[in-house]
Amino acid sequence: MKIVRYNGGHVGISDTCKVVDVSHLCGAGPDEWPPVGINRLIRDFDALRPQLEQLLASEPGVPLESVRLETPVPWPNKLVAYPVNYHDHAREMASRGLANIQGYFLKANSSLVGPADRIELPALIGREIHHECEIALIIGKQGRQIPLERALDHVFGYACLMDMTVRGKEERVFRKSYDTFTPVGPWITTADEVPDPKDIGMKLWVNGQLRQQSNTRDLIVDIANMVAIASSASTLYPGDIIATGTPAGVDKVLAGDEVTIEVEHVGRMSLPVVQGTHGANVVFDKPYEFVRHS
């Protein structure tokens, strides 16, 4: 099953052909603030699932292509991200700060956008903005100090995620938290539709040119361990998002580009890149030259 947000905050379920509105089951809608209806749906999903399946089977809904899809969880309690979680990316960045050494960092929730939105480049002269192809883990059950053997039970589903980054040596959180810097979508694919979390392929293209391609087999810290590690420090809540890290092939994007991401068994989305007028500040006044290592 696919869980979607669309048309100004409605929550729906989809079979990729139609969308059935289930906003009434979780209190979602255009007037909801903060927009956490989908968090409630995720929390209550096990109890609601028979009803959701019946609605998806019996209701005509509306064609999927007729709705404007939005980022699935716009208001997570936290947006967790793991740095340098593929060995090939560590080599290209000449980094020793691997995910199993540094642990996780946080991105601003306000950086989240959806599949129908745009990636807006900040007005930073002398800085490259890079794409990073990742998978989003959506947490389904609250937990703290989750045992490794039960970690996957806390994963509600998966989505595509791009981790856009101002390249430089400043604080990672700052460089990755600009508005529009975390596209997530096009929906949440429930975990039962992903056969093996240790074998999920992913690709990213810019203007049709393949830039990144990898598989979760190549992760330094695998999905179960990411959940266990994060929960050792912070209570995880339904709707929390974990970004799994990016493989090699990161590179700059420019205004006018189109960035496409595809995650096996999960989905695909494309976002245009535009130049913005906001974002300049004293921290990024000094130019930075990105050097790729072999």
Side-chain angles (χ1 to χ4, degrees):
M1 188 182 297
K2 309 292 192 283
I3 314 297
V4 302
R5 281 185 73 255
Y6 67 102
N7 292 2
H10 291 275
V11 172
I13 51 178
S14 177
D15 56 7
T16 72
C17 294
K18 67 180 180 181
V19 174
V20 175
D21 194 341
V22 296
S23 301
H24 62 288
L25 296 179
C26 58
D31 297 328
E32 180 198 22
W33 184 259
V36 292
I38 196 164
N39 303 57
R40 289 189 289 268
L41 184 75
I42 292 169
R43 179 196 63 188
D44 301 335
F45 186 78
D46 287 347
L48 291 172
R49 184 157 195 162
Q51 186 176 358
L52 294 172
E53 290 176 342
Q54 190 275 329
L55 287 170
L56 189 58
S58 63
E59 294 296 318
V62 296
L64 176 63
E65 62 268 20
S66 72
V67 306
R68 185 183 190 276
L69 294 175
E70 298 164 353
T71 196
V73 186
W75 204 272
N77 178 266
K78 63 187 73 66
L79 173 51
V80 171
Y82 279 86
V84 197
N85 204 13
Y86 287 82
H87 288 292
D88 58 359
H89 181 53
R91 288 191 294 271
E92 78 174 346
M93 302 300 293
S95 176
R96 296 181 180 178
L98 309 183
N100 60 345
I101 296 172
Q102 288 196 328
Y104 72 80
F105 63 96
L106 297 173
K107 293 188 68 172
N109 290 346
S110 53
S111 68
L112 289 162
V113 289
D117 293 316
R118 307 182 299 176
I119 298 168
E120 182 177 303
L121 304 180
L124 300 177
I125 297 173
R127 292 301 180 105
E128 294 184 6
I129 312 302
H130 283 203
H131 58 75
E132 297 190 0
C133 175
E134 307 201 15
I135 300 171
L137 314 179
I138 312 300
I139 297 300
K141 298 177 182 178
Q142 180 175 333
R144 174 78 197 281
Q145 200 72 57
I146 299 168
L148 182 60
E149 62 271 17
R150 295 210 301 268
L152 291 178
D153 295 339
H154 288 258
V155 177
F156 172 76
Y158 301 84
C160 303
L161 184 149
M162 301 180 197
D163 179 18
M164 308 306 295
T165 303
V166 177
R167 199 53 71 195
K169 293 186 177 181
E170 296 81 11
E171 288 287 350
R172 179 181 275 112
V173 175
F174 189 28
R175 293 187 288 108
K176 292 174 173 283
S177 284
Y178 273 91
D179 285 4
T180 78
F181 266 29
T182 316
V184 176
W187 43 61
I188 303 170
T189 295
T190 52
D192 58 298
E193 292 194 10
V194 177
D196 183 1
K198 293 184 178 180
D199 185 15
I200 306 172
M202 59 180 182
K203 297 178 181 178
L204 183 143
W205 298 261
V206 176
N207 302 327
Q209 178 188 20
L210 184 63
R211 292 266 187 94
Q212 294 182 273
Q213 181 174 3
S214 194
N215 189 287
T216 54
R217 292 190 303 264
D218 303 321
L219 283 166
I220 295 171
V221 177
D222 67 15
I223 287 173
N225 271 287
M226 277 187 263
V227 173
I229 290 169
S231 73
S232 71
S234 307
T235 300
L236 298 182
Y237 293 98
D240 279 357
I241 300 172
I242 296 178
T244 56
T246 193
V250 300
D251 208 343
K252 64 183 175 183
V253 296
L254 303 172
D257 286 343
E258 181 180 68
V259 186
T260 300
I261 182 174
E262 181 177 276
V263 176
E264 187 180 16
H265 310 299
V266 175
R268 179 186 177 106
M269 63 181 185
S270 298
L271 281 82
V273 181
V274 300
Q275 181 60 58
T277 58
H278 296 88
N281 60 72
V282 66
V283 177
F284 292 129
D285 279 351
K286 186 178 179 180
Y288 175 84
E289 183 179 358
F290 172 67
V291 178
R292 188 184 302 278
H293 298 264
S294 57

